[in-house]
Amino acid sequence: MPVTAEASRVGAQAQGATESSLKALDSTGVRLERVCVAREMTSKVGPRSFLHAGPPISLADIPGPMRGAIIGGLLFEGEARDVAEAEAIIDSGEIEISPCHDAGGLGAMAGIITPNMPVAVARSDSHTTFAPLNEGTDGAVRYGSYDDRTLARLRWMASDMVAVLDEAVQAGEPLDLVDLIAEGLRRGDECHNRLVATTANLIVRFAPSFIRSKRGEAAEKVAAFMSGNGHFALPFAIAMAKALTLSAANVAGSPVVTAMSANGREFGIRVSGTGDRWFVAPSPVGEPKLVPGARIEDITPTMGDSMISETAGFGAFAMTAAPAIMSFVGGTAAQAKAFVDEMRGICAGTSSRFLIPVEEHRGTPIGIDVHRVRATGIAPVINNGMAHRLPGHGRIGAGITRVPIEPFIAASEALAAGARLQ
Amino acid sequence: MPVTAEASRVGAQAQGATESSLKALDSTGVRLERVCVAREMTSKVGPRSFLHAGPPISLADIPGPMRGAIIGGLLFEGEARDVAEAEAIIDSGEIEISPCHDAGGLGAMAGIITPNMPVAVARSDSHTTFAPLNEGTDGAVRYGSYDDRTLARLRWMASDMVAVLDEAVQAGEPLDLVDLIAEGLRRGDECHNRLVATTANLIVRFAPSFIRSKRGEAAEKVAAFMSGNGHFALPFAIAMAKALTLSAANVAGSPVVTAMSANGREFGIRVSGTGDRWFVAPSPVGEPKLVPGARIEDITPTMGDSMISETAGFGAFAMTAAPAIMSFVGGTAAQAKAFVDEMRGICAGTSSRFLIPVEEHRGTPIGIDVHRVRATGIAPVINNGMAHRLPGHGRIGAGITRVPIEPFIAASEALAAGARLQ
């Protein structure tokens, strides 16, 4: 076949594939299915089998906060009686870890998911996804904490909170998670690092059930915890985002990114047309805004699955919807506009559901196209939290981070090579 | 005294007075005091003594929706057994009406307040203010409706809802109403025509009490009603605004506006340095966005006390904080920016509490200065709802309305004349 005809064929195929992925991203319905513990959702967790954030990583390579989170998980599951026992289990390799993404799950930050951790479950017609309930920022296993208070809170969340929340989910009308996030964008949240209005909306949706509940004392405590934790809605948002991106996955030739994720060592992406293959590069540190007293040299490079938000078209890709977040991550409202404009240049489409009021209700950019990233030289930006490099030291910052461009270029080349081989 | 020296003296006095009013507007603390019925807050209501929105108006001159609201009030209070009896009472003049503003109250739209109507009460160190609980837009006495369903809802609000809400107010930490509105601006509300996130925040604040309440069924109904009524937080906002503006009132020589209000016939303002005197002009119609099927000739000119929002520095003066409102009132986000910029030119100061995230957390313009209005020729804009001109026909639109400039010019001249006389 002549070169021009081949290029034309490849181009037409890629365009159809892109549109197919875009349509899935933009039209898949996702509802809140239930709140339960992780072992009810996947057989990939067990007493010594935990999930982790990001692309695959060997136990020997895990960063400090992930080690802290595994220690926390072993204590939480009763597999270790104390920190020393937990460390011995890790150091002897008597535990398996595998990516959340391969289990239909997502874990913010370290992303360690153990069998009895509480999760929010989202469901589309084709996929079921889940993410651990958010523990707040005052000591959290996902940031590598494993102190008694953190674990006591997690136990309460896995029992009383799961019962109260699942009762609320089952009692009401099905909660449309795409609508929840779309409404969040109208209420000043970008729904990755700012979800305070979305969390309030969740409380409002659950309130009738909380009031009716026979578990009155627990319900009151759950409502109070939620109202004091502005990130509570995050797992609901990212489980939804994962269901959207799964719907766009595995379209032959499609250059649309279906996962961005990091494990603190490596940042990786999956692309629709290349299936489950990870394209990776070293995790970036970025230029985070640190909490008072923290030092940049103490930071763990970017880590976590929550950048599925940006992959699905919100978070940093909806930054103009949430000007109040900018001071939290160390920027200005004007920069937010610049980021979103830039992302429009590397995305294949515009959301018809995630609308930005201040942009005259224009949709957010959706469908990161690896070819466009390669052609423009512009890599995506994400909003993220940052953990201390040592186990047990928790959260030390937040920022807007530019992810490495190399995985996008590699994926673009792989797609092009695949097309030429056909 | 030579003219220049006099001008200098007058100028210095005016500047000090302006600063005094501004400081009061910008620093007065206001908390939610209670929820009760109006007769507990003022002796100016009685079985045949109702309050109304706007500057004084005679019974013979009231517009249709105010007549409808009085009919509703007479039926609600049991003073009339049917509409015919209520109309006879009005037509025979057997009822007195007086401005809400003179009773420390505010009524949105028609603003008819009767003894047993449910009100939210705000309190500063110096003033107590109140405004009727919001009935929603699906039939409301404030829009002139008096059908059975509207009155049944109002009766329920005056009994069960008052009990549940006041229990919540008394149970929790004092609710800082300035903070509530400031947070609303961070959540995409301008807090006059858009209060959906602020209402959600109120539900969140009240939720622990709702859950604990012995009145479980009523509490559940209250929560559901609030979550279905995005304007529910409005009376809490305007009662707070009235407390702020009262704190800025009665400063000799101060050109700061302390009330803007309309009764459907006349629009009027009060100014700090001229005390309780009203400066009036015919009420404007503006260019509202009508509900489907409504006609501009069916509209009642601007009416209501809720433009105290703008007087206190939010509502249209915070329009950039709420880009999502613009489509509701028929405009664009770009116009919102133009309005706020324009208002900065006629205000004496900038709020240190009501901050607009998208303007890099710059404060809203506060303290409308009648001299500046006169000098620039720019009259304030307000967000408002519009009622049908006939009693009982309810809400037919919403808009951004430019108020008449004449009252500001007259007040400026009166202040200048007063200064010359000293």
Side-chain angles (χ1 to χ4, degrees), chain A residues 186-388:
Chain A
R186 285 190 285 273
R187 299 186 187 185
D189 288 347
E190 40 70 74
C191 293
H192 183 176
N193 250 348
R194 182 177 168 95
L195 298 112
V196 66
T198 305
T199 297
N201 200 2
L202 266 187
I203 296 173
V204 168
R205 295 295 297 264
F206 293 158
S209 170
F210 288 175
I211 295 168
R212 265 197 313 269
S213 178
K214 297 276 189 289
R215 303 176 178 89
E217 207 171 320
E220 188 186 338
K221 204 172 156 190
V222 168
F225 180 83
M226 289 174 71
S227 76
N229 175 5
H231 287 82
F232 194 83
L234 180 60
F236 300 80
I238 63 177
M240 180 277 288
K242 178 67 177 169
L244 290 187
T245 58
L246 278 174
S247 74
N250 299 312
V251 178
S254 169
V256 169
V257 175
T258 54
M260 297 195 289
S261 184
N263 57 35
R265 302 289 185 205
E266 285 184 322
F267 162 84
I269 66 170
R270 278 175 168 167
V271 176
S272 181
T274 54
D276 285 347
R277 179 172 168 191
W278 288 101
F279 298 88
V280 300
S283 263
V285 169
E287 296 172 9
K289 181 172 178 182
L290 300 176
V291 300
R295 301 176 310 169
I296 191 75
E297 57 267 36
D298 286 335
I299 220 159
T300 302
T302 296
M303 183 176 70
D305 291 335
S306 63
M307 57 187 97
I308 198 79
S309 313
E310 284 77 14
T311 318
F314 54 96
F317 285 39
M319 208 63 157
T320 40
I325 186 70
M326 291 304 291
S327 52
F328 179 67
V329 293
T332 65
Q335 286 174 322
K337 181 79 172 66
F339 283 131
V340 175
D341 285 347
E342 207 181 36
M343 294 304 101
R344 294 192 186 283
I346 60 170
C347 282
T350 302
S351 178
S352 69
R353 302 188 291 182
F354 300 137
L355 308 181
I356 303 178
V358 79
E359 299 199 26
E360 312 295 1
H361 301 282
R362 186 176 182 190
T364 63
I366 56 169
I368 302 165
D369 177 336
V370 292
H371 298 323
R372 288 177 192 240
V373 173
R374 184 182 173 195
T376 59
I378 294 170
V381 288
I382 58 164
N383 293 339
N384 61 332
M386 304 300 285
H388 196 283

Side-chain angles (χ1 to χ4, degrees), chain A residues 183 186-188 194 196-197 200-201 203-204 207-208 210-212 216 219-220 223 227 323-324 327 331-334 357-361, chain B residues 183 186-188 194 196-197 200-201 203-204 207-208 210-212 216 219-220 223-224 227 323-324 327 331-334 357-361:
Chain A
E183 181 58 27
R186 285 190 285 273
R187 299 186 187 185
R194 182 177 168 95
V196 66
N201 200 2
I203 296 173
V204 168
F210 288 175
I211 295 168
R212 265 197 313 269
E220 188 186 338
S227 76
S327 52
T332 65
V358 79
E359 299 199 26
E360 312 295 1
H361 301 282
Chain B
E183 182 58 27
R186 285 190 285 272
R187 300 187 187 185
R194 182 176 168 94
V196 65
N201 200 3
I203 297 173
V204 168
F210 288 175
I211 295 169
R212 264 197 313 269
E220 188 186 338
S227 76
S327 53
T332 65
V358 79
E359 299 199 26
E360 312 295 1
H361 301 282

Side-chain angles (χ1 to χ4, degrees), chain B residues 26-66:
Chain B
D26 197 36
S27 64
T28 299
V30 187
R31 63 185 179 279
L32 179 58
E33 177 76 0
R34 63 189 294 206
V35 174
C36 59
V37 294
R39 65 181 151 72
E40 298 181 67
M41 297 314 303
T42 176
S43 58
K44 296 196 175 176
V45 291
R48 298 285 177 101
S49 300
F50 295 175
L51 305 178
H52 68 81
I57 189 169
S58 74
L59 204 54
D61 289 337
I62 57 171
M66 199 175 278

Side-chain angles (χ1 to χ4, degrees), chain B residues 124-174:
Chain B
S124 70
D125 285 347
S126 312
H127 299 96
T128 303
T129 57
F130 59 94
L133 295 183
N134 190 287
E135 309 159 73
T137 51
D138 181 25
V141 173
R142 76 182 186 288
Y143 275 97
S145 295
Y146 50 78
D147 56 280
D148 290 346
R149 200 166 66 116
T150 296
L151 295 178
R153 187 200 302 115
L154 188 57
R155 286 190 188 97
W156 169 75
M157 290 174 71
S159 52
D160 283 9
M161 181 179 271
V162 163
V164 167
L165 289 181
D166 194 54
E167 182 180 33
V169 174
Q170 306 312 329
E173 291 293 303

